[in-house]
Amino acid sequence: MHACTGILAAVSVLVATSVFALQASADEEWVRVMSEDKKASVLFPAPCDKVEVVSRKSPAGTIHTHITRCEREGALLTINGTQLPGVALAFA
C-alpha cells in the first residue's frame, strides 16, 4: 500500500509539473513566420535561426526550395516552400 501511495504522489507531481510547463509555454510570445510566397504561415515559439534556399536542376528547369528553421531544445520546426518551373506546372 505504501508503494502505491508513493507512486501516486510521484505521478501527481509529474502531472502538475507538466501542466505548469504547458501553461508557461502558452504564455510566451509566438512569432508568425510566413512562407516565401506569403501563402502560408506558422507560429514558432522564437524567431527563426536559419533561412536557406536549396536549388536543384531538373529536366523542366531549376527547382528552388526555401527552408525556414527554428531549432530549440529537442525540437526542430520548419516551414518549406518549393517553386517549380513554369514548364513543370503546365504538366501538373
Side-chain angles (χ1 to χ4, degrees):
M1 185 67 164
H2 181 66
C4 289
T5 305
I7 292 172
L8 287 176
V11 169
S12 298
V13 169
L14 289 174
V15 169
T17 304
S18 65
V19 168
F20 177 74
L22 289 173
Q23 182 60 39
S25 66
D27 293 340
E28 295 175 4
E29 284 290 321
W30 287 71
V31 179
R32 182 170 301 280
V33 178
M34 298 292 291
S35 63
E36 185 69 24
D37 62 2
K38 308 290 188 237
K39 292 183 179 179
S41 69
V42 294
L43 292 174
F44 284 168
C48 296
D49 302 316
K50 188 175 183 182
V51 177
E52 67 179 299
V53 177
V54 177
S55 298
R56 63 184 175 95
K57 299 284 185 188
S58 77
T62 304
I63 298 171
H64 302 284
T65 300
H66 299 266
I67 305 167
T68 305
R69 300 174 190 225
C70 177
E71 191 166 357
R72 294 292 174 264
E73 289 181 30
L76 172 63
L77 307 170
T78 65
I79 183 170
N80 304 338
T82 300
Q83 294 175 335
L84 298 174
V87 174
L89 293 175
F91 291 107

